[in-house]
């Protein structure tokens, strides 16, 4: 709903989940931090709900690929909280300590390669940038 520009409807759906568990509802006037200020704010709130609800269920990698946020969260400066260091983020412990560090292989990681078998079956397919044979 939010991505369609129907942010108030998106708030209603998120509030259904929050109400189910007895959490403070979005846009509750008694709690100013819950007031949604627009589509981008709601987008970030929805993503945070995903992190909280699905954090340990091995699905956030695919959500972040879909959202286009994975590369920046894993490889961009300051993404790990270690100011001044590049490519420091990686698998983080829940308390913030880096378990291991990722090293970026380049921008092509944002788009996966097209398997050779698929390109062999369809000669109209060309390999994605950065993955050429």
């Amino acid at each position: 709903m939010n991505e369609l520009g129907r942010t108030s409807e998106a708030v209603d759906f998120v509030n259904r989940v929050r109400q189910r568990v007895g959490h403070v509802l979005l846009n509750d006037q008694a709690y100013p931090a819950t007031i949604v200020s627009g589509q981008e704010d709601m987008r970030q709130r929805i993503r945070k709900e995903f992190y909280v609800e699905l954090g340990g269920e091995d699905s956030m990698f695919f959500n972040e690929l879909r959202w286009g946020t994975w590369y920046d969260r894993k490889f961009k400066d300051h993404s790990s909280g270690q100011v001044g260091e590049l490519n420091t983020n990686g698998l983080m412990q829940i308390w913030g300590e880096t378990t291991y560090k990722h090293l970026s292989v380049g921008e092509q990681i944002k788009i996966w390669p097209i398997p050779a078998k698929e390109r062999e079956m369809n000669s109209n397919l060309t390999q994605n940038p950065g993955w050429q044979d």
Side-chain angles (χ1 to χ4, degrees):
M1 294 288 101
N2 191 58
E3 296 307 311
L4 293 172
R6 297 161 54 182
T7 301
S8 62
E9 290 178 63
V11 168
D12 292 340
F13 282 108
V14 171
N15 278 342
R16 287 184 192 177
V17 174
R18 288 173 156 246
Q19 189 171 28
R20 172 182 55 88
V21 297
H23 201 318
V24 175
L25 303 181
L26 295 178
N27 289 337
D28 185 332
Q29 298 299 319
Y31 301 95
T34 68
I35 305 302
V36 176
S37 64
Q39 185 180 28
E40 179 58 30
D41 179 41
M42 187 60 189
R43 181 178 296 122
Q44 297 309 317
R45 289 171 184 267
I46 290 170
R47 289 177 181 173
K48 185 175 181 180
E49 294 282 338
F50 270 90
Y51 286 115
V52 171
E53 292 284 330
L54 303 173
E57 296 184 22
D58 204 24
S59 63
M60 290 310 299
F61 172 74
F62 295 103
N63 285 328
E64 286 194 350
L65 283 180
R66 181 171 48 92
W67 297 334
T69 59
W70 182 79
Y71 185 81
D72 289 339
R73 288 179 58 87
K74 295 299 178 198
F75 300 114
K76 295 298 182 186
D77 201 11
H78 308 296
S79 61
S80 68
Q82 297 176 25
V83 177
E85 294 185 29
L86 290 174
N87 301 331
T88 56
N89 206 356
L91 181 63
M92 307 289 280
Q93 298 288 346
I94 194 163
W95 49 86
E97 181 180 319
T98 304
T99 302
Y100 65 85
K101 296 181 180 183
H102 289 289
L103 297 175
S104 175
V105 295
E107 292 280 326
Q108 75 269 20
I109 199 74
K110 291 181 177 181
I111 302 173
W112 287 1
I114 298 172
K117 178 181 177 184
E118 297 298 324
R119 289 182 285 127
E120 290 168 3
M121 292 188 311
N122 182 349
S123 61
N124 293 320
L125 290 176
T126 58
Q127 188 56 273
N128 286 326
W131 295 103
Q132 289 77 11
D133 298 329

